[in-house]
Amino acid sequence: MKGGSGSKKAGLSSLFSGLRRDPEGEAEGGRITEERLALLPLRDLVLFPNTVVPIFITAQPGMAALDEALRRDRRLFAACLKKRDLGSAPEEPWPVGTVARVVQHLRLPDSTMRVVLQGEYRGRIVGEERMDGFSLVDVAPIEAELFGDPPRPDDVALMRSAQKSFAQYAELSKKIGSETLLAVERTESPERMANLICNSSQLKPEKKVELLAISGARERLEAILDTLERENEIFGIQKNISGKVRSRMEKNQREYYLNEQIKEINRELGNAADEFDELERRVEERNPPAEALDKARREIARLRKLQPFSPEAGVLRGYVEWLADLPWSERSADSGDLEEAQRILDEDHFNMIRAKDRVMEFIAVKRLFSGGESGGYKPAGYNPADHEPTDFESEDYDPEGYNPSGDRAPEAKGPILCFVGPPGTGKTSLGKSVARALGRRFVRISLGGLRDEAEIRGHRKTYVGALPGKILQSMRKAGTTNPVILLDEIDKMSGDFRGDPASALLEVLDPEQNAGFSDHYLEVPYDLSGALFIATANSLHGIPYALLDRMETIEVPGYGENEKLAIAKRFLVPKELRENGLERARVVFSDEALSDIIRYWTMESGVRGLEREIARCIRRVARKAVAEGYGAEKPVGNFSRTIEAENLEEIMGRRKYKKDVSLREARVGVSCGLAWTEAGGATLMIESSACPGSGEVILTGNLGEVMKESARIALSFLRGGKGRPAGLGAYPYSAQDIGKTDFHIHVPAGAIPKDGPSAGVAIAASLLSTLCARAPRPGVAMTGELTLTGRVLQIGGLKEKLLAAIRGGMEKAILPADNRSEWEELDADIKEAIPVEFVEGAEEAFALLFEKTEPKKKAAKGAATDNSTN
């Protein structure tokens, strides 16, 4: 509502069509006309005439309106405020209300007012004026059309129907006093009857305002009668529903009493144990520790006292069943046959020497602990025959298990292994092979995208739908205390407001702590020391250091071309022939065809893409076999096909990848670096150019902070005139000129983030080529971190980087001298595929890159690129 002076109209639209402007009420001296009164806003309360209502006033507008009414004639206009969800403005009153008189008022100690109001007549707002803290409104009375004298029979019938419905409503609601009911029955005025019924009914404020606004007596009573009949019908439905629920509860209680009587009779007759005894027996059969057994017995004792259908009984029953289902002492026998274990590992996976050796070492250690002549722990030099029993020793003393130091006999703890390598290298399937080789159960837990700590530690059992964490769920699924648990994609976890699952794994993956693993749901320690945990990751960067420190990291590097060829022949081709219905057919891949698929249809460190391409080729062969009638008219065993390199494109379409010719072209300002990614190795083409400026370095290509630092180090190194190989000649630029030149360094494939220090020497080579206007030797890839003094430091991921150089068709690789020992451990086929040069400083690398001839003089200083070759 908008404020105004005098009785200016507020612009409110009429709420109900039944409102009329002509007043008909009678007062002393004649008809009631418009009055100017203070507005008392009421929240969720509608005041009616002929009623007395006590209210508390706490808001400042109401206090100010009350003070104004007391200064005048103790009369004000009470209107209910609209709700904000109805699209109205804040604190906007309904346009209809009741003119009321202040009968009593009392100011309370907390500065609020207790007021008793008596409603006089209904009215509506026709104008408003804003005052200091309250509003003055112009109120016009709502015309009340009364019945005739005497009233017609249908009017009398309507009043009696309203009285009857109200009496029924009072009986159902149980909230209306006998005084109000008696007043409604005795009144003969339709206006007074309507006001009393509306005031005492439990209706919504919006509905009461609607009934307050109707002017005609007949129309108003009809609306009240319709509302009361609807409320009575709702009360009847509620009573029916309550009766059904009560009946069901009585039935369940009766069944409970009968079941208890039957159980007691069975106990007296000695027939059978009840379900609680059965639960306790199941827990005892698992042979849990004393603490877990005591916990189970206490919970079963509580469960006996509860009704079966109570919510707490369901929670306790589920908890005890978890205690009964978990393996506490069951163990699977470990395989001690080293030759059989080695055969299984070699049968399932090619190469992976380091991972297989670590598993074989674990099996050998287990064999030593489980074997031996005496089978007990003895200190060094102990001889049982020399030991005399003493008085404090019991009759059950066993000299074979004697341990004078009091130490517990050692056991072989399960190692925590982490296989790290590019996707598709067989890390997950290697975990299954380890379980086969050990003769243990295998369970896989996917940690990719895990955000909630409760997924590891579980929820408290008091929560609805609570369960133990994934660790204990896996133990129950395995059924033994020593399974192989694979924690897949451990580097893909993340934390949020629900906790950090990586931190929750610290206790699980610590051999010194996981013997007493505490799950929030179980509430008793659980021994995980017998389980063999194997984690897999594509990169160590996403694993917190505290968690990484608890695991033994084993690298699973990418495969070379010869390794991929052997894997394809031994594993992938037979598997895809079997899965695509051609196992009995004579389908043969030549070595040249498989090599071409590896070179021209895949570009990866693993073999997942290779498997897809081989499957695609076999499916197309299968389609041709069906088109020729095999499988229906002819037996599949008679079908034969040899896939040669010459007909690959006919079967599989054009080649997906080609050798990047630009990496083997001599171009000024362009060098080739080698990078490691989570997907394997990759080649980086580094470009640089120069132009006159203020010494600014522009770096593009989505480079990380470390790579940007490498670029600044390379420029500072060259600015001092260092790194120039003998015979290269003087720089076309002096150190002073470099400070007046802008350099732009770009690494293509800008959508891919790049970071790391190993491109330092390659960036320096690109800048040196730009400075000297000489192209580096083509087909040479390099890697190594460059220091300000020109040293080339050791790098990681050597095998993946060399594989990337081989895939890119590079003729030579320049490596840091500190990586020589790692290079010597590589497979012979990789070392034969690409020659390498080891350097200790940038000068040696530049000498290998640039020929010892004088460069051509440039006519314009600052020319940055030259496409001529050496």
Side-chain angles (χ1 to χ4, degrees):
M1 294 180 292
K2 299 178 181 179
S5 61
S7 58
K8 186 179 294 183
K9 304 300 181 183
L12 294 173
S13 61
S14 177
L15 178 63
F16 303 106
S17 60
L19 294 180
R20 299 181 181 177
R21 288 188 174 272
D22 297 331
E24 191 181 334
E26 295 293 335
E28 291 187 24
R31 301 166 60 89
I32 298 177
T33 58
E34 293 184 3
E35 294 186 88
R36 169 163 289 198
L37 300 171
L39 174 64
L40 175 62
L42 301 177
R43 193 176 303 278
D44 296 330
L45 175 63
V46 180
L47 184 64
F48 286 86
N50 309 119
T51 60
V52 177
V53 178
I55 63 173
F56 287 90
I57 301 177
T58 59
Q60 184 59 36
M63 300 285 286
L66 179 62
D67 292 340
E68 179 67 18
L70 294 177
R71 284 195 298 267
R72 295 190 175 196
D73 56 355
R74 305 175 69 90
R75 297 170 70 247
L76 46 74
F77 184 73
C80 182
L81 293 174
K82 295 181 180 180
K83 290 186 178 179
R84 297 189 180 187
D85 56 0
L86 296 178
S88 61
E91 306 300 325
E92 180 184 350
W94 291 98
V96 294
T98 301
V99 176
R101 179 177 297 277
V102 179
V103 179
Q104 291 180 358
H105 68 279
L106 176 64
R107 190 175 298 275
L108 301 178
D110 58 352
S111 300
T112 61
M113 295 288 289
R114 183 183 185 276
V115 182
V116 178
L117 300 178
Q118 180 180 5
E120 292 187 350
Y121 65 89
R122 297 178 289 154
R124 59 179 176 79
I125 300 172
V126 295
E128 179 181 6
E129 180 182 1
R130 296 286 187 181
M131 304 300 290
D132 186 12
F134 67 99
S135 296
L136 287 176
V137 292
D138 295 327
V139 180
I142 297 177
E143 178 183 359
E145 296 178 357
L146 303 178
F147 292 162
D149 188 15
R152 296 182 302 175
D154 54 344
D155 295 334
V156 176
L158 178 60
M159 292 181 62
R160 291 180 180 178
S161 297
Q163 291 171 342
K164 182 179 179 181
S165 294
F166 182 69
Q168 184 180 0
Y169 176 83
E171 181 181 357
L172 293 173
S173 66
K174 310 292 185 184
K175 295 180 181 180
I176 298 176
S178 58
E179 297 84 0
T180 304
L181 187 60
L182 185 60
V184 172
E185 291 178 353
R186 289 182 176 180
T187 184
E188 296 180 359
S189 169
E191 179 74 10
R192 177 177 173 80
M193 178 185 295
N195 292 332
L196 290 175
I197 292 176
C198 293
N199 181 69
S200 56
S201 300
Q202 304 297 320
L203 303 176
K204 293 183 178 180
E206 296 82 6
K207 187 63 177 178
K208 288 189 174 183
V209 172
E210 179 184 346
L211 297 175
L212 181 67
I214 301 175
S215 60
R218 169 169 288 278
E219 292 80 3
R220 194 177 184 201
L221 280 179
E222 287 177 350
I224 292 174
L225 179 60
D226 181 69
T227 302
L228 290 176
E229 291 294 337
R230 183 180 298 274
E231 291 294 323
N232 291 337
E233 183 179 0
I234 294 174
F235 275 123
I237 295 173
Q238 289 179 344
K239 184 177 180 180
N240 188 23
I241 294 174
S242 300
K244 291 181 180 179
V245 173
R246 191 181 306 108
S247 175
R248 191 179 300 114
M249 291 179 61
E250 291 175 355
K251 179 181 178 182
N252 293 337
Q253 192 172 12
R254 179 172 175 271
E255 291 178 353
Y256 171 73
Y257 287 144
L258 291 176
N259 288 331
E260 290 298 319
Q261 291 177 359
I262 293 174
K263 293 175 185 177
E264 190 62 32
I265 292 172
N266 287 331
R267 291 194 193 98
E268 293 294 332
L269 296 177
N271 291 339
D274 60 6
E275 58 177 331
F276 304 114
D277 293 336
E278 178 68 19
L279 268 177
E280 188 172 347
R281 183 188 62 79
R282 286 174 55 195
V283 175
E284 291 173 351
E285 286 180 352
R286 291 290 187 175
N287 193 23
E291 183 178 356
L293 185 59
D294 292 342
K295 179 74 172 178
R297 287 172 176 169
R298 289 198 303 270
E299 299 299 334
I300 291 175
R302 289 180 57 197
L303 187 58
R304 291 178 186 271
K305 301 176 183 178
L306 299 174
Q307 293 189 8
F309 300 99
S310 66
E312 188 177 1
V315 172
L316 292 181
R317 186 184 302 275
Y319 175 77
V320 176
E321 288 180 351
W322 266 100
L323 291 176
D325 292 341
L326 281 173
W328 294 95
S329 57
E330 296 83 354
R331 298 177 63 89
S332 57
D334 286 340
S335 173
D337 192 341
L338 291 179
E339 294 182 358
E340 178 65 15
Q342 187 69 53
R343 184 193 65 79
I344 291 174
L345 294 176
D346 292 340
E347 177 183 307
D348 292 346
H349 292 84
F350 182 79
N351 208 342
M352 295 190 179
I353 304 301
R354 290 186 59 193
K356 293 179 180 178
D357 286 347
R358 182 61 184 90
V359 175
M360 297 302 296
E361 292 167 3
F362 173 69
I363 297 175
V365 172
K366 291 288 292 182
R367 177 70 180 274
L368 291 177
F369 275 102
S370 61
E373 297 178 358
S374 63
Y377 173 74
K378 308 173 187 61
Y382 168 70
N383 185 2
D386 297 338
H387 179 70
E388 297 294 337
T390 58
D391 295 337
F392 63 84
E393 291 169 348
S394 65
E395 296 179 357
D396 297 332
Y397 167 73
D398 181 12
E400 293 295 325
Y402 171 67
N403 183 2
S405 64
D407 295 334
R408 180 171 174 256
E411 298 178 359
K413 296 181 180 179
I416 314 295
L417 306 180
C418 182
F419 297 152
V420 183
T425 51
K427 301 182 295 298
T428 302
S429 58
L430 180 59
K432 297 180 182 179
S433 300
V434 170
R436 281 187 58 204
L438 292 172
R440 296 188 178 188
R441 304 281 181 85
F442 174 79
V443 183
R444 174 181 171 270
I445 301 176
S446 178
L447 300 179
L450 200 68
R451 294 175 177 269
D452 193 353
E453 177 188 350
E455 295 288 344
I456 304 297
R457 288 189 175 276
H459 294 275
R460 302 287 181 187
K461 68 175 183 288
T462 53
Y463 290 101
V464 177
L467 284 174
K470 289 184 177 292
I471 303 299
L472 289 190
Q473 292 181 32
S474 300
M475 297 300 292
R476 185 178 75 164
K477 182 179 179 181
T480 61
T481 59
N482 61 336
V484 175
I485 299 180
L486 181 72
L487 304 175
D488 209 8
E489 306 291 352
I490 197 172
D491 58 329
K492 304 299 189 301
M493 291 188 299
S494 60
D496 59 9
F497 65 94
R498 289 167 290 189
D500 184 8
S503 299
L505 280 176
L506 294 178
E507 183 182 6
V508 177
L509 300 183
D510 191 342
E512 301 299 328
Q513 300 181 34
N514 60 12
F517 172 67
S518 176
D519 186 274
H520 290 161
Y521 182 86
L522 204 63
E523 296 179 342
V524 293
Y526 189 85
D527 187 4
L528 295 175
S529 59
L532 172 59
F533 289 95
I534 298 178
T536 68
N538 297 130
S539 171
L540 299 179
H541 301 300
I543 306 175
Y545 176 77
L547 183 59
L548 185 62
D549 184 59
R550 286 164 166 78
M551 298 186 292
E552 180 180 346
T553 304
I554 298 177
E555 292 187 6
V556 181
Y559 297 113
E561 187 173 313
N562 292 340
E563 291 174 316
K564 290 182 179 180
L565 179 61
I567 292 172
K569 293 171 63 177
R570 292 175 52 181
F571 301 102
L572 302 183
V573 171
K575 174 185 175 183
E576 295 303 327
L577 288 174
R578 182 172 59 253
E579 293 184 356
N580 289 281
L582 292 178
E583 183 179 10
R584 291 175 295 169
R586 295 187 297 274
V587 178
V588 180
F589 283 79
S590 66
D591 290 354
E592 293 78 11
L594 290 175
S595 297
D596 279 4
I597 294 176
I598 294 170
R599 292 191 191 111
Y600 305 116
W601 274 271
T602 63
M603 184 67 69
E604 58 177 351
S605 294
V607 293
R608 192 170 291 153
L610 176 60
E611 181 178 2
R612 284 194 292 265
E613 295 301 327
I614 291 175
R616 184 161 68 95
C617 181
I618 292 177
R619 286 195 302 270
R620 298 195 173 181
V621 172
R623 180 178 176 181
K624 291 183 178 181
V626 173
E628 294 175 8
Y630 289 95
E633 303 172 359
K634 307 176 186 177
V636 178
N638 295 338
F639 179 75
S640 63
R641 181 66 55 89
T642 300
I643 300 173
E644 301 287 351
E646 293 78 13
N647 57 6
L648 267 181
E649 291 196 33
E650 178 185 349
I651 298 174
M652 302 181 65
R654 64 181 182 84
R655 297 177 177 180
K656 290 185 177 181
Y657 302 100
K658 298 179 180 180
K659 299 296 182 182
D660 194 348
V661 180
S662 63
L663 294 176
R664 300 189 302 278
E665 291 180 348
R667 302 174 63 187
V668 173
V670 179
S671 64
C672 180
L674 298 175
W676 179 92
T677 67
E678 293 184 5
T683 54
L684 289 179
M685 187 166 63
I686 300 174
E687 304 173 343
S688 64
S689 63
C691 61
S694 58
E696 181 183 359
V697 179
I698 303 173
L699 302 170
T700 57
N702 204 349
L703 308 184
E705 291 298 324
V706 178
M707 200 166 182
K708 291 178 181 178
E709 291 177 358
S710 298
R712 297 187 185 98
I713 291 171
L715 184 59
S716 298
F717 170 73
L718 295 174
R719 189 172 184 175
K722 302 176 182 179
R724 182 176 69 254
L728 190 60
Y731 286 157
Y733 299 87
S734 65
Q736 184 177 5
D737 291 333
I738 294 179
K740 299 178 181 180
T741 305
D742 289 344
F743 293 92
H744 187 167
I745 301 173
H746 176 68
V747 182
I752 303 174
K754 311 169 190 69
D755 202 4
S758 61
V761 66
I763 295 175
S766 175
L767 289 172
L768 181 60
S769 173
T770 299
L771 289 170
C772 301
R774 299 291 304 278
R777 182 171 297 170
V780 178
M782 67 201 79
T783 181
E785 179 181 355
L786 182 66
T787 67
L788 275 175
T789 59
R791 293 182 56 208
V792 179
L793 303 183
Q794 184 179 4
I795 50 90
L798 179 63
K799 182 176 180 180
E800 281 75 14
K801 292 180 178 180
L802 289 178
L803 290 176
I806 295 171
R807 288 196 299 267
M810 307 308 293
E811 300 172 359
K812 182 181 289 188
I814 299 177
L815 307 176
D818 293 338
N819 286 100
R820 185 185 296 273
S821 59
E822 185 180 356
W823 176 81
E824 291 175 352
E825 296 178 358
L826 295 176
D827 297 334
D829 60 320
I830 297 179
K831 293 190 287 187
E832 294 173 359
I834 183 170
V836 299
E837 296 284 350
F838 294 97
V839 298
E840 294 185 355
E843 294 86 350
E844 300 177 40
F846 296 158
L848 295 170
L849 284 171
F850 298 95
E851 296 183 359
K852 299 180 181 180
T853 58
E854 290 295 328
K856 298 179 181 179
K857 300 295 183 180
K858 301 296 291 183
K861 181 165 56 173
T865 57
D866 185 359
N867 292 330
S868 62
T869 58
N870 293 325

